[in-house]
Amino acid sequence: MSYYHDEKMEKIFKALKQPKNLEDLQLTKSFVKGLILKIIYSYGTVKTSTINELTGIHWDILEENLSQMEKSGFCAPVSGGFLFSSIEYTITKKGREKSKGIAEENPYIGIAPVPYEEYIQIMKLQMHHRHPIDIPPEVVSDTFDEVVGVEYAKEALIESSIIGKGIFVYGPPGTGKTFIISTMPNLLPPLIIPKYIEFGGKVIQLYDPDFHKMCKEQPDDPRWVKIFAPFVLTGAELSLNKLETNYDPNKGVYETSPLIKANGGVLLIDDLGRQRDDHELILNRLIIPMENKEDVVYVRGIPVVLQSHFIPAFSTNLDISIMDEAHLRRAPLHIFLKNPEIEEVAEVFRRNLNNLGENFQPEAMERFMKVYQHKKDGGEGLQPSFAHSRDLAQICQSVRINMKKNTIDTEVMEAALDKHVLIVLQRMNIDIAQVAHKTRTFRVKADDLEKTYHALSHFDNSGRSYEKDSILVDVDESTSPVELAEYLLSKDIKVEKIDLIAESEKELRRTLLNW
C-alpha cells in the first residue's frame, strides 16, 4: 500500500472485475449487439480479437451475442480456427441494413460504456472523505523538485490540497503562476474513472488523454481507468459554451466540459480577465459546481448529474479586485507571486540548460545575470522573469549549433539575448501584454523616502520622482495600492499612505527598427 494506491483503491480494484455476463455488464442486449454490429459493418471483415480489444467486452459475452446475431442472419463467420479469438466475421446484407439504422440513432463505436448508476456508486465511494488528506513528505518533495524558491507559495498549495479548497494566484507576468499551479495535482491521490458512461442508450465521454494521465496499475475491467489527479488548464480561449457538455454527432458521444474532466484534480482558469466572455459570467457559471461538487448535463433534454470534485485555481496578472467576495469564498487561499530574485532566475536558467544537455562557460552565466543586475552595478536593470529562462536556454542552444560551437560562451549568450523578443522589448521599456493599458500614478508616503525610492526602482519597471514629503511612482493600471504596499512591506518599509493621483494612456513605440 502507498499514497498512490491505498486500501480503498485496492478494494475498488477487487470490485472492478471484468463482467462475464450481460447481467453484470449492466447494458441492454440490444445496446451490446448494436455496438458489435456497428464494428463489423465498419470493418467489413473483422476478427473477434479486434472486437474484444475495441469494446473491452469479455469473450463469453461476445461469443454468446455473436452466435445469436449469426443465427438472426446479421453476420457470418468467414474464417478462423478452433479458438473463438481467431474467428473472423463479416456483415450480411440484413446486418448492413440493421447497422445503418442503429448508427443513425447512435453512431458510437468504441469501448463499452459503464452504466450511470455504477459510475455514481464508484465516484461517491472515492470522493467520500477525500479531504482532508495527509500528504507524505516524500510526495511534497517530489512535487516541488523543479520549483525554485517561493516557499510561501508551496505552503499555500499544500494547504489547499489538504482541505480541497480553491486558491487564487496573482502577480506580475513571468513569476511562474501557471507553472507552480501545474505541480499541485501531484499532491493529490489518484482516482478511477470510467472511460465512457451509458445513460438512456446514449454515451457520455469522461476519459480524455489530453488531461488524464494513466497510472501504471490498472483494474481488470478495461472500461475503467486509474488516472493521476487531473490538471485541466483553460486560459483566454475559455468561453461559456466551453463550460458546457456538448454532443458530437460524428463520434456519437457527449463530450464533457472541463468542470467534469477536472473531477478529483485541479481546474485552473488561467489569465482570468482575458477570456472572450465576461469573466463575471464565467465565474458565476462555476459557483454551483464548486459549491455542490456536481454539474448537470442534458442528455436528450434529461438532466444528468455528474461529479465535479475539483479544486478551483485562478491566476491573473490583473488586480485582485477582478474577483468579488462571492467568488473569493470559493478560493479562500491566495498567493501573491512577487518578481523573482536574480539568483532564482539564474538557477532556473541553469536547470533548463542542463536539461537540454548544454555546456556553458561561467562567463556566459555571469553575462546572463548582468541582464537583471542594477545599472549602478554594471547591469542592464531589467526585471527578472522566469518566463525568460526556458526560451532563452533553447535560443542559446540554437545559436550555439548555428555558430558551430561546442559550448555556450559569452558570444553565444550575447546573440541569444539580442534574439529573445521579451528581453528586447523590456530593454525598450515596452510590456507588450500591457500596451493597451493605462499608467497609474501613485503618491507614496513612507517612513524612509530614500529607501522607498530605491525599492521602487525594482518594482515593475516603474518611473518615480521625489515630492516634498512623498514619492510619485508610475505603474501599470493593474497594480493596486494593496499590491504596492505589500511589496514595500516586504522591503521593511513602513507605508503611511498611498493615493492614486492620476491615470494616463501609455505610449508605444511603433517599430523595433528604430531602437
Side-chain angles (χ1 to χ4, degrees):
M1 298 297 104
S2 70
Y3 181 70
Y4 294 112
H5 197 88
D6 58 12
E7 291 182 7
K8 181 187 284 189
M9 182 66 70
E10 186 59 28
K11 287 180 181 178
I12 295 173
F13 261 53
K14 290 179 179 178
L16 294 180
K17 297 297 182 183
Q18 187 178 24
K20 296 183 179 181
N21 55 63
L22 276 177
E23 183 180 356
D24 292 338
L25 191 65
Q26 298 182 59
L27 295 174
T28 64
K29 185 176 289 188
S30 60
F31 185 94
V32 173
K33 287 182 177 179
L35 182 60
I36 295 171
L37 193 62
K38 283 182 288 185
I39 292 173
I40 300 174
Y41 174 70
S42 177
Y43 277 76
T45 300
V46 61
K47 281 188 175 183
T48 53
S49 58
T50 301
I51 300 175
N52 170 261
E53 184 179 341
L54 287 173
T55 64
I57 296 175
H58 193 272
W59 291 109
D60 293 351
I61 301 175
L62 287 179
E63 188 170 8
E64 178 186 348
N65 281 272
L66 279 166
S67 177
Q68 293 174 4
M69 292 163 63
E70 181 184 342
K71 289 177 182 178
S72 300
F74 294 125
C75 62
V78 292
S79 65
F82 177 76
L83 295 175
F84 176 69
S85 60
S86 66
I87 297 175
E88 283 188 312
Y89 277 87
T90 191
I91 195 82
T92 63
K93 182 179 180 181
K94 182 180 178 181
R96 187 176 290 107
E97 292 173 355
K98 179 72 172 177
S99 179
K100 286 181 180 178
I102 295 171
E104 286 178 4
E105 175 68 17
N106 183 359
Y108 173 72
I109 293 177
I111 197 85
V114 170
Y116 172 76
E117 293 77 11
E118 188 178 2
Y119 153 74
I120 290 294
Q121 181 184 3
I122 296 297
M123 284 299 106
K124 286 185 175 181
L125 179 63
Q126 293 182 89
M127 295 303 155
H128 185 61
H129 294 320
R130 183 172 173 86
H131 299 282
I133 56 177
D134 185 11
I135 307 172
E138 62 272 16
V139 171
V140 173
S141 178
D142 290 344
T143 297
F144 297 127
D145 183 55
E146 295 297 321
V147 180
V148 175
V150 293
E151 297 302 321
Y152 62 97
K154 296 175 187 176
E155 284 186 10
L157 292 178
I158 293 168
E159 289 156 2
S160 173
S161 300
I162 289 173
I163 59 176
K165 292 292 185 179
I167 192 162
F168 182 48
V169 184
Y170 57 107
T175 50
K177 294 183 292 294
T178 305
F179 170 69
I180 196 166
I181 296 174
S182 72
T183 65
M184 190 176 174
N186 297 329
L187 297 170
L188 301 171
L191 70 157
I192 297 177
I193 63 170
K195 295 176 180 176
Y196 295 87
I197 303 170
E198 182 271 337
F199 183 91
K202 293 297 184 179
V203 180
I204 304 170
Q205 181 180 353
L206 283 189
Y207 175 68
D208 186 340
D210 288 339
F211 300 112
H212 298 143
K213 181 182 176 183
M214 293 178 65
C215 297
K216 183 178 180 180
E217 59 280 350
Q218 292 296 322
D220 181 61
D221 188 345
R223 299 176 303 154
W224 293 84
V225 57
K226 180 183 176 184
I227 60 170
F228 292 101
F231 176 62
V232 178
L233 168 64
T234 64
E237 81 288 350
L238 182 64
S239 64
L240 284 170
N241 184 59
K242 289 186 178 181
L243 288 174
E244 304 301 329
T245 292
N246 298 303
Y247 181 70
D248 185 335
N250 296 317
K251 294 166 62 177
V253 299
Y254 288 84
E255 294 186 334
T256 47
S257 71
L259 306 178
I260 297 164
K261 289 176 181 175
N263 182 47
V266 176
L267 173 65
L268 170 59
I269 309 297
D270 205 12
D271 284 329
L272 185 64
R274 304 191 190 280
Q275 282 69 30
R276 296 177 182 177
D277 292 335
D278 187 338
H279 71 276
E280 289 282 349
L281 297 176
I282 290 174
L283 290 171
N284 289 338
R285 170 65 181 87
L286 293 173
I287 285 180
I288 293 178
M290 288 192 294
E291 189 72 24
N292 298 341
K293 306 300 182 184
E294 294 176 341
D295 196 29
V296 176
V297 305
Y298 289 88
V299 177
R300 287 181 166 179
I302 301 172
V304 181
V305 176
L306 298 179
Q307 302 289 296
S308 59
H309 285 260
F310 59 82
I311 297 176
F314 304 93
S315 76
T316 185
N317 299 333
L318 307 178
D319 190 88
I320 190 172
S321 61
I322 194 171
M323 291 178 70
D324 63 26
E325 185 177 339
H327 302 135
L328 288 172
R329 285 202 304 269
R330 276 75 185 183
L333 294 163
H334 81 106
I335 300 172
F336 171 58
L337 283 179
K338 308 166 190 174
N339 286 309
E341 300 295 333
I342 297 174
E343 293 75 15
E344 292 175 337
V345 174
E347 176 59 25
V348 173
F349 180 56
R350 188 179 294 108
R351 291 187 185 190
N352 276 279
L353 288 175
N354 290 336
N355 290 339
L356 292 171
E358 289 293 320
N359 296 316
F360 55 88
Q361 294 179 358
E363 294 80 8
M365 185 58 66
E366 290 173 8
R367 176 64 189 94
F368 171 76
M369 295 179 70
K370 274 195 172 184
V371 172
Y372 309 110
Q373 289 170 355
H374 200 278
K375 289 182 179 180
K376 67 179 182 180
D377 298 323
E380 296 185 49
L382 301 192
Q383 180 62 60
S385 171
F386 288 131
H388 298 166
S389 301
R390 181 185 63 182
D391 294 337
L392 186 62
Q394 293 172 335
I395 294 172
C396 280
Q397 183 181 60
S398 176
V399 171
R400 177 194 62 76
I401 293 172
N402 193 38
M403 286 185 172
K404 313 300 181 188
K405 293 194 173 189
N406 296 322
T407 189
I408 295 173
D409 56 18
T410 53
E411 183 183 12
V412 171
M413 181 62 69
E414 288 289 357
L417 290 169
D418 289 340
K419 289 177 170 62
H420 194 294
V421 64
L422 295 180
I423 289 176
V424 171
L425 288 172
Q426 209 178 125
R427 283 169 169 171
M428 298 170 64
N429 199 27
I430 296 174
D431 182 353
I432 197 168
Q434 304 292 332
V435 295
H437 290 197
K438 296 179 180 179
T439 295
R440 282 180 169 182
T441 301
F442 287 107
R443 177 181 287 116
V444 180
K445 292 187 177 182
D447 60 344
D448 188 331
L449 290 185
E450 186 175 351
K451 187 176 181 182
T452 303
Y453 184 88
H454 289 296
L456 289 172
S457 69
H458 300 287
F459 184 82
D460 195 30
N461 283 325
S462 53
R464 62 211 182 284
S465 59
Y466 281 105
E467 269 195 338
K468 182 179 178 182
D469 57 352
S470 60
I471 303 291
L472 297 183
V473 57
D474 294 330
V475 294
D476 184 78
E477 68 171 338
S478 63
T479 302
S480 69
V482 173
E483 185 178 338
L484 200 57
E486 285 184 350
Y487 170 76
L488 292 173
L489 187 62
S490 71
K491 302 298 183 182
D492 296 323
I493 297 171
K494 183 180 179 181
V495 178
E496 297 175 6
K497 191 176 182 181
I498 297 179
D499 292 320
L500 174 63
I501 61 173
E503 281 190 348
S504 57
E505 298 291 338
K506 287 186 177 180
E507 294 183 1
L508 173 64
R509 273 165 269 195
R510 295 177 179 272
T511 176
L512 301 181
L513 297 178
N514 294 329
W515 183 68

